[in-house]
Amino acid sequence: MDNDYLLSQATGGFVNTDIDEKMKEELGSKELPEDYVKLMRDVAAEGIVMLKNDGVLPLSSETVSIFGRVQYDYFYVGNGSGGDVITPYQVNLLEGFDNTSKLNYNKELAEIYTTWCKNNKPDPGSWGTWPTNYEEMPLTDEIIKNARSKSNTAVLIIGRSAGEDRDSTLTEGSFYLTKIEEKMIEDVSSVFEKVVLLINSGNIIDFSWYEKYENKINALLYVWQGGIESGNAVCDTLSGDKNPSGKLTTAIARNYSDYPSSENFGGEEFNNYVEDIYVGYRYFETFAPEAVLFPFGFGLSYTTFDISVVNEVELDEDNEIHLKVSVTNTGVVAGAEVIQVYHNPPQGVLGKPARALIAFTKTNEIKPGSTEIVKCATHTDYMMSYDDSGKTGFKSAYVFEAGKYEIYVGNSVRSAKKIGSIEVDELILRYQMTEVAAVEEKNKFKRLVAKANADGSFLKEYEDTPTRTVSLKEQILAQIPEEFTKPTEPGEYSLNDIKEGKITIEEFVATLDINELEALTRGDYIMNSPLGAPGNAGVFGGITESLRKKGVIPITTSDGPSGVRLRRYAAQLPCGLAIASTWNGRLVEKLATEQGKELDEKGSHVLLAPGMNILRNPLCGRNFEYYSEDPFLSGRIAMFMVEGLQSHGKSACPKHFVCNNQEQFRSINDSRVSERALREIYLKGFEYCIKYTEPNHVMTSYNKINGVWGHYHFELCNTVLRDEWGYEGTVLTDWWMKPCVDPDFPNLSNDAYRIRAQVDVLMPGGFAHFETHGDGSLLESYNKEDGVTLGEIQRSAANVLRFVMYVLYDKPHTWKRRS
Ligand code: BGC
């Protein structure tokens, strides 16, 4: 039942492929603003990561032969809520070539592919069964020979997809190449003089075949899934109109088994995050540098840069380090470079990754022979460690252990050079926190720790993960909120009275009856609610007549990361991984600003984006929506997205809070992870984004985190998010909730359990066959001793209404709780 419910909810009654002629009329104009289109094209091009180029690129005007069916059947973005946008058009690779006057291609070969593709249309599949690849066209010797007679250079393209409810798998056609794809590489590369290989995927795929063909592959580019402008963006890069400046946001290993989470991924009931804080490059740089094929932060350009730091590494009185980095273009074409700053902290008693990103800046486009001085600022707070064990003497605290914090600067984690260090004389307690969300004693496991050898290398050791020592029940009871005070003048009030200053939001909430309060804590039950713009993901807020009479409007939500998913034509953005690979916050913000405008114009209030879970394993189906294996980079990119999206008075909704690192079994799987790894890796990106940009909404995850589902997680959604980070917005569930009795309070179940955690709104609202009051669990608990309190329900109602006030009256700060 759970699964059927999920599927029907998640499809929202329509997908791109369902559009019929009649519906087309409802979809509105296909026109997109020119600036918006240009930005999508620029971001898609700037996100492309060039992993090899021996000089074959940029292409000259010579005729190239293009191989691989994806030239026609391109993968523009991944599948599911993060990809399914009704697009006015999409530019595939062949169209991109057609649109680029500088490039020429073998039309005869393209015609063979096009005809074959038309006759062998891929089955689009349905929810959760979308194709991960399309069957490749078999090549005959004759096709290759003919093509060779027309061109010296071959462009090969291989495509992959994954999605929501659709992890990649360790099979051919998903993570691995198919035999026919490998044969295509082999046959084409043995005949053509030059070979350019493009990977069109939103996930990292297997590269174990690469070294076998490396000598025959002259250029290799990860072109990701670039949204509607994909083909144009790729051709901008191939032609040299755009000089590649994208960098990997995740390391690429030689084999799947090299990835640190490979043995602990895919579990049905749970995954132990044994690799702990050693995620991605943090693991490789510490324990297994040789397992890396392409390092984190790596990406080539058509030019070269000389990078040098001009000032000393010094801490100022605000604990900041300000670096001035001189970047000189030493090549012959203009280009931009990403300056990356890492630190190598002392091992101390906790053990630490040998490198961690603490700052980055992208230069402007630098002309050949010119120099730009870029400023890179960082703060020591990006360098602290969390002690969840008490080994340092400070349990549940952020500390700096004594020793040298070496600073490295360069254009990838591997190339970064040591430029100085900061000395910490003795252990510093930076922030004393309280223990949250630790592993349950019954589920404890051994986690990875580093033991430094005298020669600077590290041994892998394993230790017991610290387990929970605090009572959740006591924490909750200590924080039950008071009921709001009623206005001094009794009467019927509306939101306008708050605006007029007659009453406060809290006083208004105190006038609402329990049915109105209950209605504010859930959506209007279904996706595509009649109360919102057609094709919406769900509506909450003014979902009853009585609330609307008081001025509470319905709030429309829509997906998502790659476009405004309504029953309207909409822009389809490059996938998240492509966006993050630009490492260009300013550009990302401009794109998001256009998307925020589109959201507003199309009648939606909340965009269910950015998706910002950490790329823990290359198989996670939603990696295409997410940004990086690094929390600093994820947090930064998300900040710029949120700033842009919210610049038109509406809301972003960072998701999925937290540890949605696998799609299969996502609603039953428990992510078992140490508090240290939670705080240093999985929560950290959210922390940066939320503290600095104040999104109006946050979405929880489907999965459990150390035994508690994301939508019931008091410690994460209340203690961390609100008490520690000062978050003042609304928390939405992901689009469903697992029915459950609160183990600490048997009179609380489902909605009551959720409200106690201050997860304010169940989306899209519950089960469609309920007519009122969701499943009744909130009101049922409300009347019971030890049940949910009026103060708790009012608190969530007020969180919702603050955003309604913001939408109506556009004065964000007036309605906030704190001054
Ligand atoms: C996804 C969310 C999405 C929601 C609404 C869920 O299945 O996990 O990311 O925003 O559906 O479409």
Side-chain angles (χ1 to χ4, degrees):
M1 161 146 180
D2 288 355
N3 217 21
D4 289 350
Y5 175 69
L6 262 177
L7 294 187
S8 67
Q9 289 293 294
T11 51
F14 81 100
V15 289
N16 224 342
T17 42
D18 288 344
I19 301 162
D20 57 24
E21 284 308 310
K22 194 178 149 281
M23 205 190 279
K24 275 189 189 154
E25 288 163 28
E26 300 166 24
L27 301 180
S29 164
K30 287 191 167 185
E31 291 292 306
L32 294 171
E34 248 176 61
D35 291 352
Y36 196 6
V37 172
K38 183 172 177 327
L39 277 164
M40 283 189 280
R41 183 168 174 165
D42 286 350
V43 170
E46 206 167 310
I48 290 174
V49 182
M50 187 160 74
L51 297 171
K52 177 174 183 185
N53 180 25
D54 69 359
V56 61
L57 295 180
L59 293 175
S60 65
S61 58
E62 66 155 322
T63 298
V64 298
S65 289
I66 310 174
F67 291 90
R69 77 169 295 168
V70 181
Q71 60 184 284
Y72 182 79
D73 292 317
Y74 205 84
F75 286 106
Y76 298 94
V77 76
N79 296 108
S81 59
D84 202 2
V85 177
I86 303 179
T87 52
Y89 67 90
Q90 288 170 319
V91 181
N92 68 19
L93 186 63
L94 287 177
E95 289 161 327
F97 267 83
D98 285 333
N99 296 340
T100 313
S101 56
K102 282 187 190 166
L103 298 178
N104 288 305
Y105 66 100
N106 175 349
K107 302 260 169 31
E108 199 181 300
L109 178 62
E111 194 48 47
I112 295 175
Y113 268 105
T114 305
T115 308
W116 189 87
C117 288
K118 284 182 182 159
N119 292 334
N120 293 275
K121 285 212 175 83
D123 175 358
S126 56
W127 188 268
T129 64
W130 303 282
T132 54
N133 72 322
Y134 300 144
E135 185 198 345
E136 192 48 79
M137 182 180 97
L139 286 172
T140 60
D141 289 348
E142 191 165 346
I143 294 178
I144 299 176
K145 213 168 86 203
N146 276 345
R148 179 67 184 89
S149 70
K150 294 193 170 62
S151 43
N152 295 327
T153 303
V155 173
L156 259 77
I157 181 158
I158 285 172
R160 282 293 181 279
S161 191
E164 185 174 352
D165 259 330
R166 185 69 163 151
D167 286 327
S168 296
T169 51
L170 293 172
T171 54
E172 290 178 12
S174 186
F175 186 67
Y176 294 113
L177 294 187
T178 61
K179 294 203 176 51
I180 189 165
E181 284 167 339
E182 186 164 349
K183 188 162 180 335
M184 172 172 80
I185 298 177
E186 177 151 5
D187 291 351
V188 172
S189 68
S190 56
V191 169
F192 277 77
E193 202 179 297
K194 302 271 178 193
V195 171
V196 176
L197 179 59
L198 309 176
I199 311 290
N200 162 215
S201 171
N203 276 61
I204 298 299
I205 61 164
D206 173 52
F207 273 87
S208 57
W209 48 271
Y210 178 68
E211 277 158 310
K212 187 167 161 201
Y213 301 104
E214 195 177 359
N215 294 338
K216 296 180 182 169
I217 294 172
N218 304 83
L220 172 67
L221 283 82
Y222 232 108
V223 299
W224 311 117
Q225 296 161 333
I228 45 178
E229 285 291 314
S230 288
N232 286 335
V234 174
C235 289
D236 288 341
T237 305
L238 295 180
S239 68
D241 279 351
K242 281 265 155 45
N243 187 351
S245 60
K247 305 281 175 184
L248 288 178
T249 67
T250 172
I252 299 182
R254 291 177 198 281
N255 293 292
Y256 177 72
S257 57
D258 292 326
Y259 290 100
S261 59
S262 55
E263 283 176 18
N264 293 286
F265 178 84
E268 179 168 347
E269 196 194 328
F270 65 90
N271 287 314
N272 289 338
Y273 286 35
V274 171
E275 73 283 4
D276 208 51
I277 56 166
Y278 298 97
V279 175
Y281 76 89
R282 283 172 165 73
Y283 170 85
F284 293 121
E285 299 309 306
T286 311
F287 300 108
E290 66 296 335
V292 174
L293 192 58
F294 299 110
F296 177 83
F298 175 73
L300 297 167
S301 164
Y302 294 148
T303 187
T304 47
F305 297 95
D306 191 39
I307 300 169
S308 61
V309 177
V310 275
N311 61 335
E312 295 287 308
V313 173
E314 277 170 357
L315 269 191
D316 68 11
E317 65 277 14
D318 297 322
N319 287 327
E320 289 180 354
I321 303 168
H322 294 266
L323 297 176
K324 279 192 198 143
V325 187
S326 158
V327 188
T328 303
N329 184 338
T330 51
V332 293
V333 290
E337 182 57 299
V338 179
I339 304 306
Q340 304 163 33
V341 185
Y342 297 87
H343 80 135
N344 174 21
Q347 287 303 307
V349 293
L350 295 176
K352 317 213 174 46
R355 295 287 182 283
L357 185 72
I358 53 170
F360 67 91
T361 307
K362 191 158 196 173
T363 68
N364 294 306
E365 189 160 86
I366 307 176
K367 294 214 166 62
S370 297
T371 298
E372 183 179 325
I373 306 283
V374 298
K375 290 184 185 161
C376 277
T378 188
H379 193 283
T380 52
D381 279 4
Y382 299 130
M383 298 156 75
M384 57 198 185
S385 307
Y386 188 76
D387 182 1
D388 59 359
S389 62
K391 273 189 200 166
T392 64
F394 295 108
K395 184 167 168 358
S396 312
Y398 281 107
V399 296
F400 294 103
E401 291 206 76
K404 252 195 197 132
Y405 289 72
E406 297 174 338
I407 309 294
Y408 287 72
V409 173
N411 59 2
S412 78
V413 69
R414 219 25 100 66
S415 69
K417 303 238 163 13
K418 185 175 155 194
I419 52 120
S421 58
I422 293 168
E423 191 76 44
V424 171
D425 296 334
E426 54 184 38
L427 177 75
I428 299 172
L429 166 68
R430 178 66 176 151
Y431 299 110
Q432 181 62 59
M433 314 300 289
T434 50
E435 176 191 306
V436 289
V439 173
E440 295 170 293
E441 176 63 29
K442 65 178 186 333
N443 295 332
K444 78 169 174 226
F445 58 90
K446 298 244 184 240
R447 66 172 173 189
L448 178 61
V449 279
K451 179 160 184 288
N453 293 322
D455 65 358
S457 63
F458 295 92
L459 267 188
K460 287 195 227 171
E461 291 202 336
Y462 293 88
E463 65 174 22
D464 282 342
T465 307
T467 52
R468 169 178 281 284
T469 63
V470 293
S471 152
L472 178 58
K473 185 168 181 177
E474 278 169 28
Q475 287 177 60
I476 293 176
L477 288 175
Q479 287 201 25
I480 302 280
E482 296 289 313
E483 286 173 23
F484 292 163
T485 316
K486 287 202 161 77
T488 36
E489 298 268 323
E492 275 271 298
Y493 288 95
S494 74
L495 292 192
N496 193 47
D497 296 312
I498 308 173
K499 186 196 162 218
E500 305 274 300
K502 290 187 192 149
I503 49 167
T504 64
I505 230 169
E506 288 76 14
E507 286 170 331
F508 174 76
V509 170
T511 67
L512 299 178
D513 69 29
I514 192 67
N515 293 322
E516 291 168 321
L517 290 172
E518 187 278 333
L520 285 171
T521 68
R522 61 171 164 81
D524 183 36
Y525 295 127
I526 46 168
M527 295 180 82
N528 195 20
S529 158
L531 295 174
N536 61 70
V539 163
F540 66 96
I543 60 168
T544 64
E545 195 55 45
S546 106
L547 285 169
R548 288 195 291 275
K549 268 200 201 140
K550 295 179 181 179
V552 183
I553 56 163
I555 296 295
T556 298
T557 67
S558 52
D559 281 300
S562 66
V564 180
R565 186 184 178 218
L566 287 171
R567 201 172 291 207
R568 298 284 301 275
Y569 285 119
Q572 186 183 49
L573 273 56
C575 72
L577 207 38
I579 290 176
S581 300
T582 64
W583 294 59
N584 186 344
R586 287 162 298 189
L587 183 67
V588 169
E589 185 175 350
K590 281 189 196 156
L591 179 66
T593 302
E594 286 296 324
Q595 201 186 12
K597 194 158 138 202
E598 185 184 16
L599 181 77
D600 187 26
E601 284 166 2
K602 297 209 158 108
S604 178
H605 302 103
V606 184
L607 191 80
L608 304 171
M612 50 178 306
N613 294 94
I614 290 292
L615 270 57
R616 172 176 180 252
N617 184 287
L619 302 184
C620 172
R622 298 185 84 170
N623 282 355
F624 79 93
E625 289 180 54
Y626 303 152
Y627 295 143
S628 174
E629 65 191 15
D630 179 82
F632 183 82
L633 180 58
S634 294
R636 283 290 140 137
I637 298 294
M639 270 167 60
F640 286 106
M641 278 312 283
V642 171
E643 285 286 297
L645 284 173
Q646 297 199 160
S647 62
H648 288 274
K650 300 296 182 291
S651 178
C653 180
K655 64 188 187 184
H656 307 86
F657 193 68
V658 60
C659 289
N660 172 226
N661 303 114
Q662 127 177 354
E663 283 300 294
Q664 202 187 9
F665 312 122
R666 63 180 174 165
S667 58
I668 47 177
N669 188 272
D670 186 9
S671 296
R672 295 182 183 161
V673 49
S674 78
E675 188 190 355
R676 180 177 181 195
L678 268 176
R679 288 196 181 265
E680 289 191 22
I681 307 287
Y682 297 98
L683 289 167
K684 209 53 162 186
F686 282 96
E687 179 176 353
Y688 294 146
C689 170
I690 285 161
K691 275 186 174 165
Y692 300 115
T693 54
E694 305 189 349
N696 293 308
H697 294 85
V698 166
M699 186 193 293
T700 56
S701 56
Y702 281 128
N703 52 281
K704 288 181 184 172
I705 304 101
N706 290 331
V708 182
W709 273 289
H711 42 258
Y712 296 131
H713 222 300
F714 180 89
E715 287 170 308
L716 296 182
C717 299
N718 193 79
T719 314
V720 171
L721 185 62
R722 303 188 191 257
D723 295 349
E724 291 184 10
W725 302 350
Y727 178 67
E728 296 181 334
T730 310
V731 178
L732 309 179
T733 65
D734 197 348
W735 257 225
W736 177 75
M737 197 176 76
K738 189 85 178 171
C740 185
V741 174
D742 184 336
D744 288 316
F745 301 95
N747 278 337
L748 263 65
S749 65
N750 309 1
D751 287 323
Y753 184 10
R754 167 178 68 79
I755 288 296
R756 181 148 287 182
Q758 215 176 153
V759 174
D760 306 299
V761 182
L762 169 64
M763 289 302 289
F767 294 82
H769 57 266
F770 296 146
E771 277 168 19
T772 51
H773 304 145
D775 66 355
S777 55
L778 188 74
L779 297 192
E780 199 181 304
S781 163
Y782 169 56
N783 284 321
K784 289 197 174 142
E785 201 190 326
D786 232 12
V788 69
T789 68
L790 184 60
E792 288 173 306
I793 307 174
Q794 288 177 330
R795 178 178 65 183
S796 284
N799 289 340
V800 171
L801 291 179
R802 269 183 213 101
F803 181 67
V804 177
M805 290 297 289
Y806 168 79
V807 169
L808 285 173
Y809 304 117
D810 211 18
K811 283 190 191 147
H813 299 295
T814 320
W815 323 117
K816 296 241 163 160
R817 214 178 347 227
R818 295 181 316 178
S819 56

